[in-house]
Structures are given as structure tokens and as C-alpha cells.
Amino acid sequence: MILFREPDLLLDDTKLSPVSRAQNRVGICTACDGDLLSLGYYKQAGRWLVAARCSACSRALLMVYGDDWSWIEDVPLVMAEGEGHAPARASLRVSEVPQERLEVVFTPAEIRDMIAFQEGRPYVRQNLYRARAKLDRFERLFGIRIEL
């Protein structure tokens, strides 16, 4: 069992402190397509470990990479009691945001596919991935958090 007790990782009897606690988007959750956000980066025995948590469903996992950052595996990560994530901010659906504001940051294809994703229609995954990478910029510019 691998336990995350902020900011450390507990691997059996070994406690690892993070090399970095930078919070970055590190992937897409396979359970719900939400953004995986890093909780910490760890170095152990010639490999990199990235603790991550889904911003949508709160699923936690440890992403294991080789020394050259080649992916090896993802393993479940257990969060220590009381290690909840920050309360979610109020967010809007894409269709509730004025079109003119969306067009400042997102391409027409990204806007189309964000709406399609929210409505449960077919969408191009790459467009959704690109749009998710721009969400922080959109929030900084307009103070609006978009729900995806």
C-alpha cells in the first residue's frame, strides 16, 4: 500500500519527501476524463514518482516513471485521513459563458467539443485536451471557472 500524507509519500516503511510540490495538469483521469493534478514529485531508486489526484472525481494515483521520464505504470494511491482536496469553486458550463469570451482563448473546434462533451455527444478528445490546458488562462483573464 502506498499512502499519501501531505506532503510525503509512505511506501511500506519508507517516507519520501517531495522534490517539488508544483501543481500541474499531468494527465486525464481514466475513470471520468477529469484533469489529473499533481500533488508532489518524488525521486526514488532511479525512478520518478508523481502523486496525482483527479480534480473531478478525487481519484488518487501514483504515476511511476523511469529515470528518463518514460512511463512505467500507474498505481492506486491511498490518501491519509483528513487529506481532502480544496473545496471546489463555483463553475459554469461552457454553454453559460458568453461566446465572445470563449473565442478569446479557445478555438471554434475546442468550444464545439467542450459543449459536446458536456452534453454527452461525440467529441474529439484531442480538442478537449487542448481546451483543458487553457482553462487556467481563461480563469485568469475573465475570473470564470469552466466546468468540464
Side-chain angles (χ1 to χ4, degrees):
M1 175 177 82
I2 303 170
L3 181 70
F4 178 79
R5 180 173 285 135
E6 195 168 333
D8 301 316
L9 271 183
L10 302 172
L11 298 153
D12 299 320
D13 295 329
T14 306
K15 178 179 169 183
L16 293 176
S17 295
V19 173
S20 170
R21 294 183 66 190
Q23 189 176 46
N24 300 302
R25 283 192 175 94
V26 291
I28 296 176
C29 179
T30 57
C32 74
D33 284 337
D35 290 325
L36 289 174
L37 302 177
S38 60
L39 302 170
Y41 296 81
Y42 306 84
K43 181 81 169 160
Q44 184 212 28
R47 62 186 186 162
W48 284 98
L49 309 171
V50 179
R53 184 173 210 164
C54 178
S55 62
C57 71
S58 298
R59 177 178 173 237
L61 61 104
L62 187 67
M63 304 162 85
V64 181
Y65 296 90
D67 201 30
D68 62 350
W69 284 99
S70 57
W71 179 81
I72 297 172
E73 67 178 333
D74 292 340
V75 295
L77 183 62
V78 177
M79 302 298 285
E81 296 262 341
E83 298 293 326
H85 64 281
R89 291 188 239 169
S91 53
L92 297 175
R93 294 178 57 80
V94 177
S95 58
E96 297 170 332
V97 177
Q99 186 74 20
E100 300 82 32
R101 291 186 178 190
L102 292 170
E103 291 171 349
V104 169
V105 175
F106 305 103
T107 67
E110 291 165 346
I111 296 167
R112 178 197 67 221
D113 288 326
M114 286 190 297
I115 293 169
F117 173 75
Q118 287 184 334
E119 294 175 353
R121 294 184 288 117
Y123 61 94
V124 176
R125 188 177 177 101
Q126 187 62 36
N127 288 336
L128 193 62
Y129 182 78
R130 285 189 202 114
R132 282 188 172 135
K134 298 176 182 179
L135 288 175
D136 286 342
R137 179 176 176 216
F138 185 85
E139 186 175 6
R140 268 195 326 272
L141 289 172
F142 299 106
I144 299 171
R145 181 90 182 148
I146 294 178
E147 168 191 311
L148 275 185

